[in-house]
Amino acid sequence: MINIYGTQYRLHPMFILVILTSILSGNIGELITLFAIVFVHEMGHVVAAKNFGWEVKTVQMLPFGGVAEVETHRNTSAREEIIVAAAGPLQNCWMIALVYLLQRTEMIDLAWSDYFIQANLMIALFNLLPILPLDGGKIVQALLSYKVSYHKSLKYCAWNSLLMSILMIAYACTDIFYSGVHLNLLIIGVFLLYSNWYYFRNIPYYFIRFLVNRELTFAKMKVKKEITKPIFANSSSSISEIVRCFKRDQMHIIYVLNDLGKVQAVIPEKRIIQTYLINPRKNG
């Protein structure tokens, strides 16, 4: 474990397994190269996150990237989420371009540079898969939150990530009776499946945290003079149904309609949130 500018970097057990395998097979050079690529990839995320004022506590290094523990002290905007997620694969792009140019000048070893480019390309493309907690999954979730409510974006992306994790595991086992199991892909698929099952089970917690931090989001939006978006609800609608309509990066005013479609009450979202947080289960 190392600490760089307040962020702790730790090796995930999967990466330790790769290190042991590389040592036993004598591929130390490839191991060092892979570690350097993953480290630069993660530094891209960390620098972008800290630029937005996020507190990055720890980064667990995996063979294909990393998982960061972030504390933002507020709800981050979809735009910030997209930029931070994209910052990792962008590091792979400039590294590929640099080594490709050096190849043309014959200043570096051709075999090593080919491996370096292939490893960068593999890590960048794999991280762009639309599966949480990969960068592609985070980007898709942020983009989806522009169109649907925050609660729906959590559920849709969790279900999609679970499905794609299962498909990855199934693909890793397709040649089990011929060439055997693709062990690396199987291990990654199982890791992603477990991560997303954990994520899915904790959606209620993530949603509560989203609501609790709305107060700081209000202050941010008032500075930017954001337009408040209306939500129209029937008098029979539950508090839970209403809060699940809240969208990221938007404030809301709730218009309660009677059976004739006329406005019966106008309620600010802050009051709705306060009522919901008193007893989320009862209001469900």
Side-chain angles (χ1 to χ4, degrees), residues 148-151 207 231 240-247 252:
V148 302
S149 69
Y150 184 72
H151 189 267
F207 186 62
I231 291 177
S240 179
E241 290 173 334
I242 295 173
V243 296
R244 288 180 182 180
C245 293
F246 290 176
K247 296 184 72 173
H252 299 289

Side-chain angles (χ1 to χ4, degrees), residues 245-262:
C245 293
F246 290 176
K247 296 184 72 173
R248 193 176 189 174
D249 300 342
Q250 290 184 2
M251 297 175 64
H252 299 289
I253 290 289
I254 294 82
Y255 293 88
V256 181
L257 308 179
N258 60 21
D259 294 337
L260 299 176
K262 295 184 178 181

Side-chain angles (χ1 to χ4, degrees), residues 101-118:
L101 290 174
L102 292 175
Q103 266 190 341
R104 305 281 72 80
T105 62
E106 300 181 354
M107 294 175 60
I108 55 177
D109 179 73
L110 184 60
W112 176 85
S113 61
D114 282 342
Y115 171 77
F116 185 86
I117 290 174
Q118 290 171 9

Side-chain angles (χ1 to χ4, degrees), residues 148-182:
V148 302
S149 69
Y150 184 72
H151 189 267
K152 283 184 178 179
S153 73
L154 291 177
K155 289 184 64 177
Y156 290 167
C157 288
W159 278 114
N160 175 72
S161 297
L162 282 168
L163 175 61
M164 294 199 69
S165 299
I166 293 171
L167 291 176
M168 185 179 295
I169 293 171
Y171 179 77
C173 299
T174 50
D175 294 329
I176 189 172
F177 299 112
Y178 300 97
S179 58
V181 174
H182 299 285

Side-chain angles (χ1 to χ4, degrees), residues 130-133 154-170 189-203:
I131 308 175
L132 294 170
L154 291 177
K155 289 184 64 177
Y156 290 167
C157 288
W159 278 114
N160 175 72
S161 297
L162 282 168
L163 175 61
M164 294 199 69
S165 299
I166 293 171
L167 291 176
M168 185 179 295
I169 293 171
V190 170
F191 167 77
L192 292 174
L193 180 62
Y194 171 78
S195 298
N196 283 293
W197 175 245
Y198 179 83
Y199 180 85
F200 177 77
R201 292 188 63 184
N202 282 280
I203 284 178

